[in-house]
Amino acid sequence: MTQTVPIPLGLPMERDAGPFDPPRDITRLREARPVSPLIFPDGHEGWLVTGYDAVRQLMADTRFSSRQDIGVLHVPYETPGMPAMTEPSPQVPGLFIAMDPPDHTRLRRKLTGAFTVKRMKMLEEHISDIVERQLDEMARLAPPVDLVKAFALPVPSLVICELLGVPYEDRDSFQANSATFMEKDVALDEKMAAYTGLTTYLAELVTRKRATPGEDILSDLARHDDLSIEELTGIAFLLLLAGHETTANQLALGTFALLEHPEQAAALRATPDLLPDAVEELMRYLSVADIFYRYATEDIELGGETIGKGSTVVVSLLAANHDPRRFDNPDTLDVHRRARGHLSFGHGVHQCLGQQLARIEMRAGFGGLLRRFPTLRLAVPAGEVKLRTDMNIYGVHALPVTWAETER
């Protein structure tokens, strides 16, 4: 058994090696000790897991709990305006991402039919139509334009709104509230106001769905009498937030990465059949959803270390996806790479329910952009692109792009 001496660590979050690479300190730590003891700013001792094998093993082991009501969320960086967490957070009804089996299983089962590979395949043509219509809208604009507003955010928002049965005309409100909720350095009262605004809206929506169901996922869920309005609201909150935030940032940041690696974009234009592998590689390379938390429910051996019962464990998917023990030259973007097995969709019982939907949107999105705008390029120096280092989902706040006028 390895003797462990916790080291003080404010977890480095800035991608200081470049906009697409893991923080240098995280990389050094992973190479030295993939399962590392650490001390949070509040003095609590915990663990940081950065190695691919250890992260995969941890996420498959349900003894590492996702329930925040049994462990204090010891945030590994100082957050202005946020009080020190001294008590476990109460469990939110319906928020199955923060639940363990059997509660997690009961709720997730209600959704498996909605997100089957077969059902997503049936939607592929329709999603391609949504992408093409948005590209038409973008082509009518005079460049330069912000790719986030013109394309990367509208596409997944349109798709998830249609699937869930959320009126797209309400997007300004829910997008503003979700952005505030996802921002790190926001005062607790602002964050809670955004959360309350979003959940109040969704509670009213699912109540209407229960009374008058339509042909959408929330209506299908509302037909289950064993789901309370509170649970329906929690599920709707999770699906709406995950359904547009992650894919929107992946599309925008992925486009930024391709524009910064023109030889990779050229390879995709020349060989569109590379798109499925390229999407997996961009997911691995960018890892827009990075940090997750788990709580040890008993003493557990992991990566040669003993993680004590009750410990808070921080998991870095970004570090795991850049582990050279799993991926050759991991800090290089290579659209020819077979990056299957990356952990960007998670692993184990909490593996992303909407991963097939996200893949379809990204294949259609990146493919359409590269085909319709062969001269697409940044309209500002790369160093001026504002990165979402202040958000819990990484990406860009805006991506100013331009193209040759002849493409309009």
Side-chain angles (χ1 to χ4, degrees):
M1 186 180 297
T2 306
Q3 192 69 22
T4 60
V5 179
I7 55 172
L9 176 69
L11 183 64
M13 303 294 287
E14 298 287 336
R15 302 196 183 200
D16 53 1
F20 314 117
D21 299 318
R24 290 185 180 93
D25 286 347
I26 286 282
T27 297
R28 283 193 287 266
L29 197 59
R30 183 194 60 219
E31 299 315 305
R33 198 169 186 178
V35 181
S36 302
L38 61 85
I39 298 177
F40 294 98
D42 65 1
H44 173 78
E45 293 184 7
W47 294 84
L48 171 64
V49 184
T50 52
Y52 177 90
D53 289 340
V55 168
R56 187 178 168 91
Q57 181 183 336
L58 178 150
M59 298 191 89
D61 191 336
T62 54
R63 294 176 299 170
F64 288 104
S65 174
S66 298
R67 288 175 50 186
Q68 291 180 16
D69 63 322
I70 64 170
V72 177
L73 181 62
H74 300 275
V75 180
Y77 45 82
E78 299 291 353
T79 307
M82 293 289 281
M85 299 288 286
T86 56
E87 297 293 333
S89 301
Q91 202 157 24
V92 178
L95 209 67
F96 56 89
I97 196 173
M99 294 179 181
D100 297 335
D103 296 328
H104 169 268
T105 311
R106 179 180 75 88
L107 295 179
R108 184 165 168 132
R109 248 183 216 146
K110 305 284 188 187
L111 285 160
T112 49
F115 289 96
T116 60
V117 174
K118 183 179 179 181
R119 185 165 181 179
M120 291 301 105
K121 276 284 186 187
M122 290 168 61
L123 286 169
E124 195 157 359
E125 186 176 338
H126 182 55
I127 290 169
S128 293
D129 289 342
I130 289 174
V131 167
E132 290 302 318
R133 287 199 301 270
Q134 202 60 42
L135 288 169
D136 290 341
E137 291 285 328
M138 182 169 147
R140 282 191 277 270
L141 300 174
V145 304
D146 174 12
L147 189 85
V148 174
K149 287 183 180 177
F151 183 73
L153 184 55
V155 165
S157 296
L158 279 161
V159 171
I160 200 65
C161 281
E162 193 170 311
L163 275 177
L164 294 183
V166 175
Y168 184 63
E169 57 269 23
D170 295 342
R171 66 191 181 281
D172 287 345
S173 174
F174 76 68
Q175 285 173 357
N177 280 328
S178 67
T180 301
F181 181 75
M182 296 301 288
E183 192 170 347
K184 292 174 189 172
D185 299 341
V186 168
L188 184 60
D189 57 346
E190 286 183 58
K191 196 176 283 273
M192 290 311 298
Y195 173 76
T196 301
L198 195 49
T199 52
T200 299
Y201 166 75
L202 290 171
E204 292 169 355
L205 181 64
V206 296
T207 300
R208 292 199 303 271
K209 299 280 184 190
R210 176 151 279 175
T212 314
E215 297 298 320
D216 53 72
I217 289 175
L218 292 184
S219 293
D220 291 346
L221 289 169
R223 291 185 176 94
H224 290 275
D225 293 336
D226 61 329
L227 289 176
S228 66
I229 292 296
E230 291 76 20
E231 286 178 318
L232 287 169
T233 301
I235 294 170
F237 170 80
L238 184 57
L239 294 180
L240 184 61
L241 200 69
H244 80 275
E245 277 281 349
T246 49
T247 308
N249 284 292
Q250 185 69 33
L251 281 171
L253 191 66
T255 302
F256 183 22
L258 289 171
L259 294 181
E260 284 295 279
H261 297 81
E263 76 290 349
Q264 301 297 311
L268 284 177
R269 285 192 180 99
T271 314
D273 288 348
L274 287 174
L275 263 173
D277 282 341
V279 165
E280 301 304 318
E281 170 66 350
L282 285 164
M283 291 288 301
R284 179 203 69 82
Y285 182 63
L286 300 174
S287 302
V288 297
D290 177 15
I291 298 297
F292 290 84
Y293 298 87
R294 293 291 186 267
Y295 308 97
T297 58
E298 57 184 81
D299 290 352
I300 306 169
E301 294 289 324
L302 183 71
E305 312 281 359
T306 300
I307 296 181
K309 179 179 180 179
S311 294
T312 301
V313 185
V314 183
V315 181
S316 173
L317 300 188
L318 173 64
N321 279 334
H322 282 248
D323 190 340
R325 298 175 184 88
R326 175 61 178 81
F327 300 102
D328 293 334
N329 301 314
D331 297 339
T332 299
L333 176 65
D334 180 5
V335 297
H336 296 87
R337 187 196 303 270
R338 300 283 294 176
R340 306 281 173 176
H342 67 78
L343 298 172
S344 295
F345 288 119
H347 184 61
V349 297
H350 287 286
Q351 192 170 40
C352 177
L353 193 61
Q355 60 182 287
Q356 299 306 331
L357 176 64
R359 286 185 170 104
I360 292 168
E361 290 178 78
M362 283 185 278
R363 288 198 297 266
F366 291 127
L369 269 176
L370 292 169
R371 185 185 72 253
R372 292 282 296 273
F373 298 94
T375 64
L376 191 73
R377 65 187 187 279
L378 290 180
V380 298
E384 292 181 15
V385 174
K386 191 180 178 187
L387 301 167
R388 285 170 53 108
T389 53
D390 56 335
M391 308 295 279
N392 286 313
I393 301 291
Y394 188 60
V396 293
H397 284 288
L399 190 69
V401 295
T402 189
W403 58 87
E405 288 287 336
T406 54
E407 290 172 21
R408 294 186 65 202

